[in-house]
């Protein structure tokens, strides 16, 4: 049973050590993420699952204690998913950012695990994965990592695409209203073209929230560096 969800962007730039001199520009996004995580804690879940995009196909589960690193971005900073490091399992970047957000708020409210979702996974399989998460008797919360389009300006990673603003607006409205139906019909191919890595995780959320009766609130919406960043809380 899904009891709450937080939606946060997944760029490594959220980590101040990675952003370096640009760190102050995303302080509003970090503060909104902390507020969203507060909503998760208030729901008193039995378990928290961090869901984020990965480059591979399908889905992959990550155990508590998996380690993430930002060394690939020139920073000798490591994070752990929910507890002391265990084994040799390595987190993808999106889940590493989620683990960093949890460490930042000193999360202790529930055990944590992770789920990586392929960026091109079709909507039906994403929704099915969400349904499976919510099927058991446990009170589950989700921390859903992922960005909107990366094509909002000519300097964006994917250059300017006139469809990007409309895609992000539709996603923002759906997240603000906890509109499960609207998330389910986000265009998979358009999302891929626009480099909207949050599409698949958002559709996992849609599957998990089908019968949860949650309400939504949009806490942050902006497009720094031409990338759509959205923060929302569902409870």
């Amino acid at each position: 049973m899904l009891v709450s969800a937080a939606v946060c962007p997944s760029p490594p730039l959220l980590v101040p050590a990675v952003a370096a001199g640009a760190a102050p520009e995303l302080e509003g996004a970090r503060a909104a993420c902390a507020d969203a995580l507060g909503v998760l804690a208030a729901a008193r879940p039995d378990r928290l699952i961090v869901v984020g995009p990965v480059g591979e196909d399908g889905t992959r589960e990550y155990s508590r204690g998996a380690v993430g690193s930002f060394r690939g971005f020139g920073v000798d900073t490591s994070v752990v998913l929910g507890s002391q490091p265990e084994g040799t399992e390595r987190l993808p970047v999106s889940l590493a950012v989620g683990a960093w957000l949890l460490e930042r708020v000193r999360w202790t409210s529930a055990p944590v695990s992770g789920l990586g979702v392929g960026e091109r996974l079709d909507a039906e399989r994403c929704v099915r994965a969400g349904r499976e998460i919510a099927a058991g008797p446990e009170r589950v919360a989700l921390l859903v990592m992922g960005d909107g389009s990366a094509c909002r300006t000519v300097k964006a990673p994917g250059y300017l695409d006139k469809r990007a603003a409309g895609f992000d607006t539709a996603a923002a409205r759906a997240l603000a209203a906890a509109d499960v139906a609207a998330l389910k019909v986000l265009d998979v191919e358009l999302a891929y073209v626009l480099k909207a890595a949050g599409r698949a995780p958002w559709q996992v959320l849609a599957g998990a929230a089908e019968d949860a009766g949650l309400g939504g609130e949009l806490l942050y919406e902006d497009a720094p560096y031409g990338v759509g960043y959205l923060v929302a809380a569902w409870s």
Side-chain angles (χ1 to χ4, degrees):
M1 176 176 62
L2 184 70
V3 295
S4 64
V7 176
C8 295
S10 60
L13 288 173
L14 277 182
V15 181
V18 174
E25 297 177 32
L26 291 180
E27 192 52 45
R30 294 186 197 99
C33 289
D35 290 342
L37 288 172
V39 172
L40 294 188
R44 303 177 68 85
D46 299 321
R47 182 163 59 107
L48 172 65
I49 302 174
V50 185
V51 182
V54 295
E56 61 202 53
D57 293 333
T59 61
R60 178 180 173 182
E61 296 181 358
Y62 293 85
S63 303
R64 181 174 60 179
V67 177
S69 171
F70 299 105
R71 291 188 181 91
F73 302 94
V75 176
D76 189 17
T77 298
S78 297
V79 292
V80 180
L81 191 65
S83 69
Q84 296 298 316
E86 299 176 16
T88 59
E89 195 172 29
R90 296 293 171 179
L91 294 171
V93 172
S94 63
L95 297 189
V97 175
W100 179 83
L101 289 172
L102 292 171
E103 288 188 1
R104 185 170 184 255
V105 299
R106 300 180 182 179
W107 176 270
T108 59
S109 300
V112 182
S113 61
L115 179 67
V117 186
E119 291 184 25
R120 298 206 72 172
L121 194 66
D122 64 78
E124 182 179 349
R125 291 174 66 191
C126 291
V127 170
R128 190 186 314 145
R131 288 173 181 154
E132 291 171 357
I133 287 171
E138 283 186 307
R139 293 169 53 82
V140 178
L142 295 182
L143 171 53
V144 183
M145 307 298 297
D147 307 336
S149 70
C151 301
R152 294 282 291 272
T153 68
V154 295
K155 294 184 178 180
Y159 197 67
L160 175 65
D161 190 311
K162 293 182 179 179
R163 298 170 293 178
F167 180 92
D168 288 347
T169 296
R173 287 175 179 166
L175 292 170
D179 189 337
V180 168
L183 289 178
K184 286 181 181 179
V185 297
L186 289 175
D187 190 310
V188 175
E189 289 305 316
L190 178 59
Y192 185 75
V193 170
L194 297 177
K195 302 183 183 299
R199 188 276 312 171
W202 297 339
Q203 289 182 325
V204 171
L205 169 60
E210 279 180 333
D211 300 315
L214 303 181
E217 181 181 4
L218 192 66
L219 304 179
Y220 181 89
E221 180 183 7
D222 201 357
Y225 319 115
V227 181
Y229 290 174
L230 301 168
V231 180
W234 290 17
S235 63

